[in-house]
Amino acid sequence: MAGEPQADCLFCKIVAREVPATIVRETETTVAFRDINPQAPTHVLIIPKVHYQDAAALAAAEPQIIADILRESREVAADEKVEDRGYRVVFNTGAGAGQTVFHAHLHVLGGRGLQWPPG
């Protein structure tokens, strides 16, 4: 059921502390942790504690939580000292966009030049 923890979801297991992660921030609704395959010096994932397959499903069901994730992205950027230099926030939604873990999550990337278009 949407919103409920999924036994086979890596990110649900991180929320439950069943799988280790380097957690950098946590709120009532979110957990932020370092990506295990960083694409920039700062690469932090912010996930909701509730399970939704992707950002679109989360936004439709619980818009306040997606707002919490976006608010936390600024806090992560400040904590990581990339706020003033610039940082990127990315939701990959669907396999065709590069989503590999089907639990909504936001990437916060910074600490190097990030060209456009990405790729």
Side-chain angles (χ1 to χ4, degrees):
M1 172 179 274
E4 297 296 319
Q6 304 294 306
D8 62 344
C9 175
L10 173 63
F11 290 172
C12 287
K13 290 178 181 181
I14 288 172
V15 169
R17 303 303 198 268
E18 296 170 4
V19 170
T22 304
I23 295 173
V24 297
R25 288 186 61 83
E26 184 169 8
T27 70
E28 185 177 314
T29 60
T30 67
V31 176
F33 56 92
R34 298 201 184 283
D35 194 296
I36 61 169
N37 184 26
Q39 301 300 304
T42 293
H43 190 168
V44 174
L45 302 179
I46 305 172
I47 64 172
K49 290 183 175 179
V50 293
H51 180 91
Y52 287 91
Q53 179 172 323
D54 55 38
L58 177 63
E62 304 207 39
Q64 184 56 51
I65 293 178
I66 208 159
D68 293 346
I69 290 170
L70 287 169
R71 191 171 20 264
E72 276 302 295
S73 71
R74 185 221 163 263
E75 298 299 328
V76 166
D79 291 350
E80 297 289 318
K81 311 283 190 266
V82 297
E83 181 181 29
D84 292 338
R85 295 181 6 207
Y87 60 98
R88 181 172 291 162
V89 295
V90 177
F91 281 110
N92 296 322
T93 301
Q99 185 179 5
T100 58
V101 177
F102 291 89
H103 180 122
H105 58 284
L106 176 81
H107 298 258
V108 179
L109 300 139
R112 69 168 174 83
L114 297 167
Q115 305 306 312
W116 193 261

